[in-house]
Amino acid sequence: MVLKRILFSAFSVFFLFSALNLNAEIPFKKDALKDGIIFTTGAAVFTAGMLMDEYVEFDYPDVLDKDDINPLDRWSVKGYSKPFGYAGNISYGAGVLLAPELLFSCSYLNDDISGQDLVTIGLMYVESFLYTKGTVNIIKNIVQRPRPYAYYGDVDFFDESVKDRYCSFPSGHTSDAFMSAAFTTYVFHECFPESKWCVPVGIASYALAGSTAAFRMLSGNHFLTDVLGGAAIGTLYGIGIPYLHKLMYEKSLDSSSTLQITPVPAGLNFTVRF
C-alpha cells in the first residue's frame, strides 16, 4: 500500500509537470564516433570493476578495532539496521531508477523534446552510470575498507559474501544517487533554462540523493567519508558526461559550413568556413 502511494504521488507530480509547455532544442549532441569511444571506454571501466569484484582477493584482518577508525568516521560505527537498509534501497530506486526516467519521458510525451533528444539524454545517462559504477567498484577493490557493521562481528544473517563486508569505500548507492541527481538537475536546467521547475527538480533530486546517503550511514553500511567520496564521484560523472555532449553540440554549431562572398577592390573575396 505504501509503495502504491509513492508511485501514485510520483506519477501525479510528473504528469502535472507534463502539462506545461517547455518546448526546447536540447543543447546536447550525440556523435557516432565520439559516443562510440565514450561508451566503449565506460563499458570497459564497468567491466573492469565487475571482474575485480569476481577475482580480486582480499586480505581480511584478524581483528577489527574501532579505535583504528579516524575521528571523523568513528561516530558512525553501528550494527546493521534492516529498516534503514530497506529505506536506503527505496530512496535509491526512486532517485536512480524512477525519477529521471519519468521526468524526461514526460517531456517527450508532452512534445517538449523530440524522440532523438530523448535517445541522446538516455545515452548520456547510461554512459554516466557505466563510468560511475565501474569507478566505484575499482576503488572498492583497491581500498578494501571494512563496513561499519563489520566491527560488530558476524553478520551472516545479512550478507552471504564475506568480501562485501570489506567494500565500504566509496558508497556505491550514494555515488549512483548523486550521479542521477547531478545529471537530472544539470540536464534539465540546460534543456529548460527558463522553466520555473528548475529549482524544484534540483531540490527533489538532491533530496533523494541525500536521503540515500543518510540511510546508508544509518543502516551501518557506510561511514561519512564513504558517502562523501561516493557523492563526489557521482557528481563528477553526472555533470561531466553531459558536459562533453554539450561541447559536441557547441562545436557542431561552430563548425557549420558557410560561404561568404564579399566585394573587394580587386574583385570578389570568397570565404569558406567549416
Side-chain angles (χ1 to χ4, degrees):
M1 182 63 69
V2 175
L3 180 59
K4 289 182 179 179
R5 290 179 180 176
I6 293 175
L7 291 175
F8 177 78
S9 300
F11 276 104
S12 298
V13 170
F14 286 113
F15 276 106
L16 174 63
F17 159 78
S18 68
L20 300 177
N21 292 317
L22 302 172
N23 296 306
E25 177 185 359
I26 70 170
F28 303 104
K29 179 179 175 63
K30 61 181 183 296
D31 178 271
L33 176 59
K34 294 176 182 178
D35 272 301
I37 296 173
I38 294 173
F39 185 88
T40 302
T41 305
V45 173
F46 178 83
T47 302
M50 298 295 289
L51 290 175
M52 290 181 72
D53 278 344
E54 186 70 24
Y55 295 108
V56 170
E57 297 292 334
F58 277 32
D59 184 16
Y60 304 115
D62 295 328
V63 178
L64 292 176
D65 188 349
K66 297 177 185 177
D67 292 334
D68 294 334
I69 303 171
N70 67 79
L72 184 62
D73 287 327
R74 193 175 301 153
W75 65 271
S76 58
V77 178
K78 54 176 61 65
Y80 180 71
S81 168
K82 283 186 177 181
F84 282 124
Y86 291 143
N89 290 335
I90 292 173
S91 63
Y92 173 89
V96 177
L97 305 176
L98 182 63
E101 290 81 357
L102 276 175
L103 180 64
F104 292 110
S105 293
C106 288
S107 299
Y108 165 69
L109 293 174
N110 198 45
D111 293 329
D112 294 322
I113 60 176
S114 68
Q116 285 298 316
D117 292 339
L118 186 62
V119 170
T120 299
I121 293 173
L123 176 62
M124 294 191 300
Y125 193 75
V126 171
E127 291 171 347
S128 301
F129 180 83
L130 289 175
Y131 279 96
T132 300
K133 183 63 69 177
T135 300
V136 166
N137 285 346
I138 290 172
I139 297 175
K140 280 179 179 288
N141 282 275
I142 294 174
V143 175
Q144 301 185 9
R145 186 184 196 185
R147 295 183 185 273
Y149 67 70
Y151 288 83
Y152 279 78
D154 197 359
V155 285
D156 285 339
F157 69 90
F158 159 64
D159 190 359
E160 296 179 357
S161 171
V162 174
K163 183 176 180 178
D164 187 66
R165 303 174 200 173
Y166 296 86
C167 292
S168 189
F169 182 87
S171 169
H173 281 67
T174 304
S175 63
D176 292 346
F178 273 85
M179 177 279 293
S180 180
F183 181 96
T184 303
T185 303
Y186 176 69
V187 172
F188 186 86
H189 179 269
E190 290 296 318
C191 291
F192 312 112
E194 303 299 326
S195 172
K196 66 180 181 180
W197 282 80
C198 286
V199 173
V201 165
I203 292 175
S205 298
Y206 278 101
L208 285 171
S211 297
T212 300
F215 287 138
R216 294 302 286 174
M217 288 191 293
L218 292 171
S219 65
N221 277 289
H222 288 292
F223 298 101
L224 175 62
T225 51
D226 296 338
V227 299
L228 291 177
I233 294 171
T235 300
L236 172 66
Y237 289 122
I239 296 177
I241 295 298
Y243 182 71
L244 289 178
H245 289 79
K246 182 180 179 181
L247 292 179
M248 293 182 200
Y249 173 80
E250 292 175 349
K251 187 174 181 180
S252 70
L253 295 180
D254 293 338
S255 62
S256 56
S257 299
T258 59
L259 174 62
Q260 295 180 343
I261 304 176
T262 307
V264 294
L268 296 176
N269 179 44
F270 291 85
T271 302
V272 181
R273 181 183 179 189
F274 296 95

